[in-house]
Amino acid sequence: MTERIPCIREGCANTVLPTTAAKTGGYCMPCKQEMEREERQRYIEANRRDVNLYAGITDPVEILKIMHKPQVRDPLIRYTPYEQSEEQVYLSLSVEQQDQMKDYAMQRICTGDEDTGKDILVYLVCYHDISLTAEIPELLEQEIYYPAILYEGASGEVRDRLLQQVNTDDENRNHILLMLAHIGDDVVVQQFRQWRESPPSWASELYVAPEHYTTEAGWELTKDGQRRELFTTPSYSLYKVKENEGANVELTGNSLSMLNPSKNCCPWCGNALTTLISLDVKHPALKDVSWHAQQLQIQTCVICSSYGVVNMEMDAAGEPLWSSHNVMPVGADDIDPEDDVKLTPDMGRQFRIANAPRHVFHASEWAMEPSLSQVGGHPGWVQDAEYPTCPRCSTRMKAVAQLDWGEVEEYGEGMYYMFICEPCQITAVSYQQS
């Protein structure tokens, strides 16, 4: 048997065959490969250069085209990010520039780059409520059925075509039902009502009843077959102030406070309850909300509500109380009491509410990574739409706010959704994460 010799790298206990040592200079293969990686990394760090694809470009349309173009992966290139986010650039577009981006999106779709084209159209619809009436026939020709929000405001002709197609197109029926829900006009409402009263033959092939699809578009059929909205309007962004913005931000007085710990504790896990948001009911974001107190306070246990819905009722003074209707969700009894969420006073003070409203579907497409925290507006569901039912009257509760926990904690994730039942003066909080 050939005698093995020790690797010459200091600290390595491996041995190698003489033939291998002759090829590697006396090193074992793991050490040799590690040394080559280290040498490669030193070369990259010494020769890497910064590349600013946006240098000298001021037209937001051209900037967005660069943002949507895949970057060439090269370890020797470090791309300089643009000074604004994609969301900020989209919001800066003039009406003329929105049309230019819409035309560019359709060009990408017609040349085979469907994903980029769809992404651009979704940004335009969500951020600017732009009409795609002229483009929808081409989208259908290209068999683009998703995202369904692209079909907001589709023409009656398109609606009627989809109402026919949903009966025969088994492959795309789920998408078509969502598209119809987003169109949501009187004819669509009537059709969903008829499907509820007399389920079509294909209804048995669905996971949920046809009328349940309307919740994904933010509305439902009432018992008497009318359309009822499932989120409050208008929509105002809740944003976190950056350190260098603190001196320039116009404060909103005492109308808003967030993430305040309560003196009361969760009956399930024992940790302190948290008021996620407290907003003066006179604020424009709550102008259509009927609430019997001066402040709308949404309180929950941020730990237990990640397992299931937590309801709170209001006392005579408008203060939140743990609801007797709460049912401990599966898994909540295994919570470690030490898993308390540590909130500091600064966390809540860093949030502001925007001075002006934004489009109600601004945050509806979670995957676009928009600014998600908001009061009012269509929820940005991480998973499927889940509007809890009021534990007192069994009516679906309306979404009134949502908070992106990734903006609260450094390694936080997921979304807390806040709901109200105005007749019963009950709030609810649920949670989703990817």
Side-chain angles (χ1 to χ4, degrees):
M1 179 180 292
T2 304
E3 183 179 354
R4 300 174 66 90
I5 59 178
C7 172
I8 66 172
R9 192 177 191 188
E10 183 177 353
C12 180
N14 292 338
T15 59
V16 295
L17 293 171
T19 53
T20 301
K23 296 176 182 177
T24 63
Y27 298 98
C28 67
M29 289 306 298
C31 285
K32 179 66 173 178
Q33 292 168 352
E34 178 63 23
M35 293 167 61
E36 289 174 348
R37 284 193 293 268
E38 292 173 352
E39 183 179 359
R40 173 62 176 167
Q41 187 59 37
R42 286 193 294 270
Y43 176 83
I44 290 173
E45 292 175 358
N47 293 277
R48 182 181 289 158
R49 58 192 176 92
D50 293 329
V51 174
N52 186 355
L53 299 174
Y54 308 99
I57 301 176
T58 58
D59 182 354
V61 171
E62 297 305 317
I63 291 169
L64 286 171
K65 288 180 181 180
I66 295 173
M67 286 181 167
H68 281 290
K69 184 178 181 181
Q71 294 178 346
V72 177
R73 300 291 181 181
D74 188 332
L76 295 178
I77 295 178
R78 181 170 45 227
Y79 291 101
T80 303
Y82 189 62
E83 59 190 15
Q84 292 182 313
S85 69
E86 198 168 42
E87 177 185 26
Q88 290 173 319
V89 180
Y90 265 103
L91 291 174
S92 73
L93 294 177
S94 67
V95 174
E96 180 182 0
Q97 291 166 339
Q98 293 170 36
D99 287 338
Q100 292 176 21
M101 286 303 298
K102 183 169 61 173
D103 291 343
Y104 177 69
M106 296 307 296
Q107 291 173 16
R108 300 312 310 159
I109 289 173
C110 292
T111 55
D113 188 5
E114 181 181 302
D115 290 340
T116 298
K118 288 195 302 183
D119 287 346
I120 294 171
L121 293 178
V122 170
Y123 280 110
L124 293 172
V125 169
C126 290
Y127 293 161
H128 291 286
D129 196 20
I130 194 170
S131 173
L132 298 180
T133 303
E135 288 72 32
I136 284 175
E138 179 61 29
L139 297 180
L140 288 173
E141 186 66 25
Q142 298 285 340
E143 298 186 347
I144 294 176
Y145 301 113
Y146 182 84
I149 196 172
L150 297 177
Y151 290 82
E152 282 276 331
S155 67
E157 181 180 359
V158 169
R159 174 204 64 212
D160 293 342
R161 171 180 170 176
L162 294 174
L163 286 172
Q164 292 292 326
Q165 186 176 348
V166 74
N167 291 312
T168 58
D169 192 343
D170 297 345
E171 181 180 356
N172 296 300
R173 182 170 292 122
N174 280 289
H175 292 313
I176 295 172
L177 287 168
L178 292 172
M179 293 155 68
L180 288 168
H182 274 281
I183 294 173
D185 61 13
D186 291 342
V187 174
V188 169
V189 172
Q190 181 182 4
Q191 181 62 78
F192 275 106
R193 182 167 60 244
Q194 291 176 358
W195 283 333
R196 183 174 67 181
E197 295 170 354
S198 301
S201 59
W202 42 260
S204 60
E205 301 173 8
L206 305 173
Y207 289 106
V208 296
E211 65 271 16
H212 188 80
Y213 282 77
T214 65
T215 63
E216 294 290 339
W219 61 279
E220 69 168 351
L221 281 178
T222 61
K223 291 181 179 179
D224 58 358
Q226 302 301 309
R227 172 173 171 150
R228 174 178 178 261
E229 304 302 324
L230 289 175
F231 58 88
T232 63
T233 57
S235 175
Y236 281 77
S237 171
L238 294 172
Y239 64 96
K240 196 170 184 180
V241 179
K242 297 179 181 178
E243 292 183 5
N244 59 356
E245 292 178 336
N248 300 318
V249 172
E250 181 180 345
L251 301 180
T252 55
N254 296 321
S255 65
L256 172 73
S257 63
M258 295 181 64
L259 300 171
N260 293 319
S262 169
K263 62 182 179 181
N264 298 320
C265 294
C266 173
W268 294 339
C269 71
N271 289 309
L273 298 175
T274 301
T275 301
L276 295 179
I277 182 172
S278 177
L279 184 62
D280 192 320
V281 296
K282 295 180 181 178
H283 190 280
L286 302 178
K287 69 182 183 67
D288 293 328
V289 172
S290 177
W291 207 250
H292 302 166
Q294 293 183 341
Q295 296 282 125
L296 172 62
Q297 299 184 65
I298 311 290
Q299 191 173 100
T300 192
C301 172
V302 295
I303 296 177
C304 292
S305 56
S306 64
Y307 288 82
V309 176
V310 171
N311 299 288
M312 303 292 288
E313 302 179 21
M314 301 299 117
D315 66 13
E319 294 296 319
L321 294 174
W322 185 266
S323 174
S324 60
H325 297 284
N326 281 325
V327 178
M328 181 182 290
V330 175
D333 53 349
D334 293 330
I335 294 174
D336 186 341
E338 300 298 322
D339 291 340
D340 192 7
V341 176
K342 306 299 182 183
L343 298 176
T344 66
D346 288 341
M347 288 180 175
R349 286 197 288 265
Q350 291 174 351
F351 282 88
R352 300 288 182 266
I353 188 166
N355 293 323
R358 64 187 189 180
H359 180 41
V360 296
F361 282 97
H362 184 107
S364 63
E365 294 296 315
W366 168 80
M368 286 170 33
E369 298 186 351
S371 52
L372 289 163
S373 300
Q374 63 183 16
V375 176
H378 188 283
W381 299 110
V382 178
Q383 300 168 17
D384 293 333
E386 291 185 15
Y387 294 88
T389 56
C390 174
R392 183 174 294 168
C393 69
S394 299
T395 301
R396 276 196 182 95
M397 304 176 78
K398 281 189 175 182
V400 69
Q402 63 185 31
L403 178 60
D404 178 5
W405 205 251
E407 293 186 304
V408 177
E409 294 185 309
E410 183 178 0
Y411 299 107
E413 60 178 341
M415 190 83 62
Y416 285 91
Y417 303 93
M418 293 163 260
F419 308 88
I420 56 172
C421 177
E422 293 161 284
C424 299
Q425 297 288 286
I426 291 179
T427 68
V429 174
S430 66
Y431 173 87
Q432 290 183 0
Q433 71 177 55
S434 59

